[in-house]
Amino acid sequence: MAIEFSERISRIPVYPAAEGYAERAPKVRLASNESPWPPLPAVVEAINRALPNLNRYPDPTNSQLKQRLSERYGVPVARIAIGNGSCDLLLAAGDALLEPGAELVYAWPSFSVYPHLPAASGARAVTVPLDALERHDLQAMLREINVATRLVIVCNPNNPTSTALSLAEIADFVDEVPHHVCVILDEAYCEFNLLEDPDASIGLLDRHPNLVLLRTFSKVYGLCGLRVGFALCGSEEMPRVLDQVRQPFFCNLAAQAAAVEALRHQDAVTERVTRTIAERISVDERLRALGLQPAESQANFCWVPFGGEDPERAAEREAEVMRGLQERGVLVRAGSALGKAGALRVTYGTTDENAIFLAALEEVL
Ligand SMILES: *Cc1c(COP(=O)(O)O)cnc(C)c1O
């Protein structure tokens, strides 16, 4: 007799993990939108200082980290939630908001964790295609909201397509969403967005108790190996509920210590963003010189569709290019694994890594 699992197990998609983790030495890893630079030495020191205390449980209230985030963002401690990565907060929000009969709305293609929420809860997912410029179509998303809707997710800038909407568009959208619907604005890449001051969206929280800004230490802070994210919320109820549905010690001791220290080095964050944007400009220019048309990136990665009229031909081209890059030791993500075949998603790395990627791509093309 085989073990009998719950019915939802057959629905929950398996997260499309990037390949190559088992490989010894891919030359260049540009598949997971990680920072190419290691954590700052001061952050590594803070982690080391925390390690002798691993016989103790971490602070379940995350009080120091919440305090620092509150000072940094001007949001009261009671409206901040911490997570074991921001994915933890996404899943918790799904748990807290969704159930059979409920609906959630998100764009597609967007972050590959979102489909987990309807599958796990039995809620109905309404996915709204991106517009011709690979951006969220907020008007179309608004039209899908009804009395059954509990959650709308907007990923800005959007993963995997790298595009962003202006704050004015987001603000108008949130104004139109009914108060019973939670809006999660997933801002994992907001620091790389040149359209806005990354902190501008925080002003929306005071007007919208149903809004949640989801942020992470995984990308610009280079701490994805430790797993720590946070949510800035429009209400005190939201962090309380998110804590209610999770295990008590979701954010580990080293992660809390690292995040607290990382927040002290905002100048380094700015400097890394500047370096990434310089790479973004030069890589996109080279891609265009190769006859490709990357989407307008406001993130630390680009989205490169293999245009043309024929989707089947574009998918074939994606597979050929993926294979060619892999043979040359370059790991990127295939669009087909991220919701849209016929494209590549490529993280901007260091100048050297990008040069290796571009040389390999040129050979393959
Ligand atoms: C990387 C990413 C996250 C962050 O995930 P963590 O769990 O914090 O590592 C969240 N949302 C999107 C869209 C992402 O691409």
Side-chain angles (χ1 to χ4, degrees):
M1 278 277 278
I3 296 170
E4 221 173 286
F5 292 102
S6 75
E7 190 261 325
R8 68 197 188 113
I9 290 301
S10 63
R11 290 194 307 252
I12 296 177
V14 176
Y15 180 76
E19 287 166 44
Y21 281 93
E23 269 166 56
R24 267 268 193 93
K27 270 190 284 189
V28 179
R29 288 181 186 277
L30 304 176
S32 298
N33 299 345
E34 297 152 335
S35 168
W37 301 292
L40 298 172
V43 172
V44 175
E45 273 169 41
I47 295 166
N48 281 329
R49 279 197 304 275
L51 296 182
N53 304 318
L54 288 181
N55 57 313
R56 302 295 176 191
Y57 279 104
D59 170 8
T61 63
N62 301 282
S63 57
Q64 204 189 2
L65 177 53
K66 282 187 183 176
Q67 189 57 45
R68 290 292 151 72
L69 287 167
S70 177
E71 289 157 15
R72 165 73 179 78
Y73 294 107
V75 174
V77 165
R79 289 207 265 124
I80 300 174
I82 307 296
N84 181 25
S86 54
C87 289
D88 181 37
L89 291 162
L90 267 175
L91 298 182
D95 221 4
L97 293 159
L98 302 174
E99 59 199 333
E103 298 189 3
L104 78 158
V105 179
Y106 55 89
W108 199 253
S110 193
F111 189 31
S112 39
V113 167
Y114 304 156
H116 187 103
L117 276 65
S121 62
R124 189 169 92 92
V126 180
T127 54
V128 177
L130 300 175
D131 70 12
L133 296 175
E134 317 267 17
R135 301 175 321 163
H136 279 59
D137 183 345
L138 294 180
Q139 288 309 312
M141 291 177 77
L142 273 179
R143 285 195 293 274
E144 298 297 344
I145 294 174
N146 60 46
V147 288
T149 311
R150 293 271 178 82
L151 173 61
V152 182
I153 310 176
V154 175
C155 188
N156 197 51
N158 187 43
N159 178 7
T161 60
S162 76
T163 52
L165 298 174
S166 71
L167 182 67
E169 288 168 280
I170 302 269
D172 287 348
F173 172 79
V174 183
D175 272 337
E176 295 292 323
V177 174
H179 301 305
H180 75 276
V181 179
C182 176
V183 179
I184 294 183
L185 191 54
D186 186 341
E187 300 189 309
Y189 303 98
C190 64
E191 293 88 352
F192 301 103
N193 181 1
L194 282 186
L195 298 180
E196 304 298 341
D197 174 343
D199 293 343
S201 54
I202 292 165
L204 297 176
L205 291 173
D206 292 328
R207 281 190 283 133
H208 299 288
N210 58 333
L211 181 63
V212 173
L213 306 180
L214 198 59
R215 302 213 175 177
T216 183
F217 285 92
S218 291
K219 305 286 157 53
V220 80
Y221 289 100
L223 289 172
C224 58
L226 269 181
R227 318 299 304 119
V228 50
F230 58 101
L232 306 173
C233 305
S235 76
E236 295 185 6
E237 203 175 12
M238 198 66 196
R240 211 162 45 231
V241 166
L242 291 172
D243 285 358
Q244 208 178 340
V245 295
R246 290 179 295 166
Q247 58 150 328
F249 303 101
F250 46 73
C251 186
N252 74 70
L253 199 85
Q256 290 188 41
V260 164
E261 184 62 33
L263 282 172
R264 291 201 180 103
H265 302 274
Q266 295 299 312
D267 44 341
V269 172
T270 307
E271 195 254 336
R272 287 176 168 201
V273 167
T274 306
R275 274 197 271 168
T276 299
I277 289 173
E279 293 303 319
R280 179 162 90 195
I281 292 166
S282 84
V283 170
D284 286 10
E285 206 169 85
R286 287 285 305 279
L287 291 171
R288 282 190 292 269
L290 291 172
L292 299 165
Q293 275 140 8
E296 193 194 316
S297 175
Q298 295 295 342
N300 67 341
F301 59 91
C302 57
W303 175 253
V304 189
F306 295 114
E309 297 302 303
D310 183 1
E312 219 166 287
R313 179 70 196 114
E316 275 168 31
R317 213 152 162 233
E318 172 198 292
E320 285 161 18
V321 174
M322 282 296 294
R323 204 170 324 112
L325 290 176
Q326 212 155 15
E327 282 163 12
R328 289 163 180 78
V330 178
L331 293 180
V332 303
R333 291 308 298 277
S336 55
L338 302 172
K340 191 170 182 180
L344 296 183
R345 190 195 70 187
V346 186
T347 310
Y348 303 115
T350 61
T351 308
D352 287 351
E353 290 170 335
N354 295 334
I356 294 172
F357 157 65
L358 288 163
L361 182 66
E362 195 162 5
E363 266 182 46
V364 174
L365 292 174

